[in-house]
Amino acid sequence: MTASTTRRSAAGRRRPAVAATAAVAASLLLLSACGDQTDAAIAKREAQKNRDVNAPLFKKLPQSVQEKGLLQVGADITYKPVEFRSNGKVVGIDPDLAAAMEKELGVKLNFNNATFDTLMGGLKSERYDIAMSAMTDTKERQQGIDGSTGKKIGEGVDFIDYLNVGVSLYTQKGKTKGIDGWETLCGKTIAVQRGTVSHDLAKDKSKKCESNGGKAIAIEAFDNDSEAQTRLRTGGVDAVSSDYPVAAYAVKVSGGGKDFQMVGGAPLKAAPYGIAVPKGHAQLRDALKAALENTIKNGAYAEVLKKWDVKDAAVKEVKVNGGS
């Protein structure tokens, strides 16, 4: 092999390398131009566009939130009419209230879907900044105690209470099977959403059935309320328990109002829904409380509740940790 041949061979090896380097550089330029296309990055860019530094409460927010222009909200987006998807958009009581609060805060509240029983863990791991998902304010949740086991599993949360609701029962329409309240559920089967107040209440009532010499309530717990409704609709259970706004909405719209009927009278165990904020974030908590108070003062709060037919659930005063 001559020297000239060797040089040509070497040059031949270099050309693909040069071409590859150029291709990588072009790709990097393209990526730089397009930017990060992950959901989180897109939400952040949208938040920056919507950030309003002149909003009434913007400067009340923690500096980190001001800079991001965004709060990540954990929610179970299957809980009609509190939050659900319609034509690809998150709608409902909570999203509408959040939109009203955004105007006061000057930052976006971005809803992230999750099953209800994972929301507290998501707050603990800092996946979410807050949770707004028809979450009942209870002492156990405030203190980070698992309602089922009584064991402490975290530092807990602070709640900003925004609605007063109770738990209701409903059955198939015309097929109540003698159910007209919790005391008539002994020996019957009920569907609930896992980790909710309805779930805890069903377990308590079942124990009372047994202590009084009756049969336990058979409890079927599901990831979301829609699954519980489907189970009732197909006759797999005798009743469903859920928060009053959800039960009332299901009775009204499912099957054009022909599927279900409410039983048992007035909602039981009325308690407040609260926006959950991890302990140790008092500045964020207080800014959110002030934003909610402003929506009450300017009438936006009343408009949302009227739109979703839950005016009776209005709070007269925004409390922190008002649940028991």
Side-chain angles (χ1 to χ4, degrees):
M1 183 179 290
T2 64
S4 60
T5 303
T6 302
R7 282 195 295 273
R8 281 195 297 272
S9 298
R13 285 196 300 270
R14 289 191 193 101
R15 274 194 287 270
V18 170
T21 301
V24 170
S27 297
L28 290 173
L29 285 170
L30 181 61
L31 285 172
S32 177
C34 294
D36 188 349
Q37 296 302 307
T38 62
D39 289 343
I42 292 170
K44 185 175 181 180
R45 284 199 297 273
E46 288 299 311
Q48 288 293 327
K49 282 193 277 184
N50 296 326
R51 189 175 65 156
D52 180 6
V53 298
N54 296 313
L57 299 172
F58 183 80
K59 293 182 180 178
K60 296 285 186 182
L61 289 164
Q63 187 67 34
S64 60
V65 178
Q66 293 181 32
E67 292 172 355
K68 287 191 301 182
L70 165 101
L71 285 169
Q72 296 291 4
V73 183
D76 170 18
I77 309 176
T78 63
Y79 209 52
K80 298 178 180 180
V82 185
E83 51 253 328
F84 60 103
R85 290 192 186 277
S86 179
N87 298 320
K89 184 180 179 182
V90 181
V91 299
I93 298 168
D94 282 356
D96 281 357
L97 287 176
M101 293 169 67
E102 287 175 350
K103 295 177 182 178
E104 303 301 318
L105 296 166
V107 299
K108 181 176 177 57
L109 275 66
N110 185 58
F111 279 72
N112 299 267
N113 189 35
T115 57
F116 185 83
D117 58 347
T118 66
L119 294 179
M120 295 297 275
L123 290 174
K124 185 178 179 181
S125 67
E126 300 183 353
R127 180 177 182 182
Y128 316 122
D129 298 303
I130 62 175
M132 189 174 184
S133 188
M135 186 176 288
T136 302
D137 175 0
T138 66
K139 291 297 182 187
E140 288 83 3
R141 287 171 176 158
Q142 292 171 24
Q143 297 166 4
I145 295 172
D146 186 314
S148 299
T149 64
K151 295 181 179 178
K152 191 168 178 64
I153 55 174
E155 293 303 312
V157 297
D158 287 328
F159 284 103
I160 302 129
D161 298 337
Y162 65 99
L163 282 178
N164 277 319
V165 298
V167 170
S168 295
L169 286 170
Y170 56 101
T171 66
Q172 282 190 330
K173 195 160 191 175
K175 298 179 182 179
T176 66
K177 299 182 180 180
I179 299 170
D180 61 4
W182 285 90
E183 289 69 26
T184 55
L185 274 170
C186 299
K188 300 290 198 301
T189 303
I190 188 172
V192 296
Q193 184 174 1
R194 188 179 294 106
T196 60
V197 169
S198 286
H199 193 183
D200 292 339
L201 186 59
K203 287 185 281 188
D204 289 342
K205 292 294 185 180
S206 183
K207 290 176 183 177
K208 287 184 179 179
C209 287
E210 291 183 290
S211 65
N212 291 331
K215 292 183 178 180
I217 300 171
I219 303 168
E220 295 189 10
F222 295 89
D223 284 342
N224 58 64
D225 202 71
S226 296
E227 293 175 353
Q229 290 177 24
T230 298
R231 186 73 168 136
L232 176 61
R233 194 179 291 110
T234 57
V237 295
D238 301 313
V240 168
S241 173
S242 56
D243 295 343
Y244 171 73
V246 178
Y249 187 84
V251 169
K252 180 180 179 180
V253 305
S254 182
K258 297 178 181 179
D259 286 347
F260 306 134
Q261 72 179 75
M262 204 82 77
V263 295
L268 188 64
K269 205 173 182 178
Y273 282 170
I275 301 170
V277 183
K279 294 288 189 186
H281 294 264
Q283 186 179 359
L284 175 59
R285 177 200 67 200
D286 293 346
L288 290 166
K289 179 176 182 288
L292 188 58
E293 289 171 335
N294 281 5
T295 67
I296 292 174
K297 291 174 185 175
N298 65 28
Y301 176 83
E303 288 179 10
V304 172
L305 270 57
K306 180 180 179 181
K307 173 183 175 180
W308 294 103
D309 198 24
V310 289
K311 292 184 292 182
D312 292 344
V315 296
K316 295 180 180 178
E317 177 187 358
V318 179
K319 294 181 179 180
V320 172
N321 297 332
S324 58

